[in-house]
Every structure is written in structure tokens, then in C-alpha cells.
């Protein structure tokens, strides 16, 4: 039965939608193809096209990766898993100690950050933010443990090389996973912006 009202409003009243605050955000699910030690290809940012070693997933959902730094110049850094392609290559990272590395490890000092006006009217050029000693030590301990397992010279060359699309390569047929078939999408590969097919005139 329809409930009867004594009066009806002349205009439609808009009800405000109230969002329920859940408090804790759900953790981002890790892709099945990502495991500690997997070599990934970075698709965006400063190190686009470089290969890095995946270590673990942080509480924020971002991935913790390293080059190692001595091999290809990639330091310990965070990256979104949407911007990496996992490969079938795996490196042993069981002896590397990176448990203490979390999101706070990458926090920047807000007090040292100067405003735009301070930068403009500064008599002397402001000094760039220096890397802390703790971060340098952590980078060295993690890289040394990984490099001990990288005894193969070809493996170091593989990590040091840059991935790029060349003429004759078909991106829709590229396979980066052997155990679990996973193909890179055209959007992921489009970031390299290199010509694939060039017909000779």
C-alpha cells in the first residue's frame, strides 16, 4: 500500500547525500603476477623504460622497488603498480633486510621547504635537499645483499639495459610472463612513444 501524506511540497526537495566515514581505507590488492624479487619495467616518471627489482608492497598500496642503484641508478623508491609491467625474471631478495622501510621512510621535511616568494627574493641560491645518512645506509645494505646473489654478468646487463619498442616489434604479441600469461595493454606500451611500423616509400 502507498503511504498517504497530508500535504506535498510544491517543489522537489533535494536530499543531501551523507557519506559514511569508514575510517580505514581498504588496502590496495597486490597483482597476482607481482612477487618479491620480480623484475618489473617502469612505465612512467624519471626512470621510464628502466628495469627494477620489486621488494614489497607498502601500507599505502605503493610498491617498493630498487635498481639496484649501482647497476642502473634507481634508488629505493615508491611506485604505483599500475605503472609497472612484471616480467618472468626473478631475483633472490630473501637475504635483503628492508622490513624497516615504510611510507614514513620517504616523508619529506616540510620545515626545510621554502615558499615561492622566498625562492624569488633569496639573495643566495637555496641549497637542494640532501639525502639523509639513514637513507644512504639503507640503500647500501639492501643493494649489497641483492648484488651478492647477482653473480651472473648477463643478469646485471639485463637490469642495466632500457626497454623500448623497436621497428618490427608487435606490442600486442609481447609476452612478459611465462608462468602466468599476461600481456601488456596498448596504453601501457604507448608511454614509450616510439614508432613501431614504418613503411618504406
Amino acid at each position: 500500500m502507498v503511504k498517504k501524506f497530508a500535504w506535498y511540497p510544491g517543489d522537489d526537495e533535494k536530499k543531501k547525500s551523507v557519506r559514511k566515514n569508514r575510517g580505514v581505507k581498504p588496502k590496495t590488492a597486490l597483482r597476482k603476477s607481482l612477487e618479491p624479487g620480480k623484475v618489473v619495467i617502469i612505465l612512467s616518471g624519471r626512470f621510464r623504460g628502466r628495469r627494477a627489482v620489486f621488494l614489497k608492497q607498502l601500507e599505502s598500496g605503493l610498491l617498493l622497488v630498487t635498481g639496484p642503484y649501482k647497476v642502473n641508478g634507481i634508488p629505493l623508491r615508491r611506485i604505483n603498480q599500475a605503472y609497472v609491467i612484471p616480467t618472468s625474471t626473478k631475483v633472490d631478495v630473501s637475504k635483503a633486510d628492508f622490513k624497516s622501510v615504510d611510507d614514513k621512510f620517504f616523508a619529506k621535511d616540510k620545515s626545510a621547504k621554502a615558499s615561492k616568494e622566498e625562492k624569488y627574493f633569496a639573495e643566495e641560491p637555496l641549497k637542494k635537499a640532501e639525502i639523509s645518512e639513514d637513507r644512504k645506509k639503507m640503500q647500501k645494505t639492501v643493494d649489497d645483499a641483492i648484488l651478492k646473489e647477482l653473480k651472473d654478468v648477463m643478469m646485471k646487463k639485463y637490469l642495466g639495459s632500457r626497454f623500448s619498442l623497436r621497428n618490427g616489434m608487435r606490442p600486442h604479441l609481447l609476452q612478459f610472463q611465462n608462468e602466468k600469461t599476461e600481456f601488456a595493454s596498448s596504453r601501457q606500451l604507448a608511454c614509450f612513444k616510439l614508432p613501431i611500423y614504418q613503411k618504406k616509400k
Side-chain angles (χ1 to χ4, degrees):
M1 292 183 65
V2 180
K3 188 176 180 181
K4 293 183 179 181
F5 294 93
W7 60 276
Y8 292 92
D11 298 325
D12 294 335
E13 294 180 356
K14 294 182 180 180
K15 295 182 179 179
K16 294 182 180 179
S17 60
V18 180
R19 291 185 178 181
K20 294 181 180 179
N21 188 8
R22 297 180 180 178
V24 182
K25 293 182 179 179
K27 189 177 180 181
T28 307
L30 186 66
R31 290 160 66 178
K32 294 180 181 179
S33 54
L34 286 170
E35 299 174 3
K38 273 287 182 76
V39 177
V40 298
I41 300 171
I42 301 175
L43 299 176
S44 66
R46 178 183 171 189
F47 301 103
R48 183 180 63 181
R50 291 288 185 184
R51 294 178 172 90
V53 181
F54 166 62
L55 300 177
K56 68 174 182 178
Q57 186 183 27
L58 302 172
E59 291 182 2
S60 60
L62 300 175
L63 307 182
L64 177 66
V65 299
T66 185
Y69 184 77
K70 291 183 179 178
V71 177
N72 53 22
I74 300 177
L76 283 168
R77 63 187 287 113
R78 298 176 295 177
I79 188 167
N80 194 318
Q81 62 180 336
Y83 299 107
V84 297
I85 299 177
T87 65
S88 58
T89 311
K90 196 172 181 180
V91 179
D92 186 11
V93 295
S94 57
K95 296 181 181 179
D97 184 18
F98 45 84
K99 292 181 181 178
S100 59
V101 181
D102 53 4
D103 291 307
K104 294 180 181 179
F105 179 80
F106 298 96
K108 296 180 180 179
D109 187 11
K110 294 182 179 179
S111 60
K113 187 177 181 181
S115 61
K116 291 183 179 180
E117 291 184 0
E118 290 176 353
K119 289 180 181 179
Y120 184 79
F121 291 106
E123 295 179 359
E124 297 179 0
L126 297 173
K127 294 181 180 179
K128 293 183 179 179
E130 296 181 357
I131 301 171
S132 62
E133 292 296 328
D134 295 337
R135 195 161 177 173
K136 289 179 181 179
K137 288 179 181 178
M138 180 58 68
Q139 182 73 58
K140 190 176 184 305
T141 52
V142 173
D143 284 359
D144 289 347
I146 295 174
L147 288 171
K148 284 181 181 179
E149 303 298 327
L150 289 176
K151 298 177 181 178
D152 189 3
V153 180
M154 294 302 295
M155 188 64 178
K156 289 183 180 179
K157 287 184 178 180
Y158 171 73
L159 288 172
S161 62
R162 186 187 291 271
F163 173 82
S164 61
L165 295 176
R166 300 188 181 110
N167 291 338
M169 294 176 68
R170 300 181 180 181
H172 62 284
L173 295 178
L174 291 178
Q175 186 175 349
F176 296 91
Q177 290 283 332
N178 290 334
E179 300 172 0
K180 300 174 183 177
T181 306
E182 181 175 319
F183 296 95
S185 64
S186 57
R187 287 185 179 180
Q188 288 178 324
L189 294 175
C191 68
F192 296 104
K193 296 180 181 179
L194 292 177
I196 301 169
Y197 303 107
Q198 289 182 350
K199 294 183 179 179
K200 294 182 180 179
K201 296 180 180 180

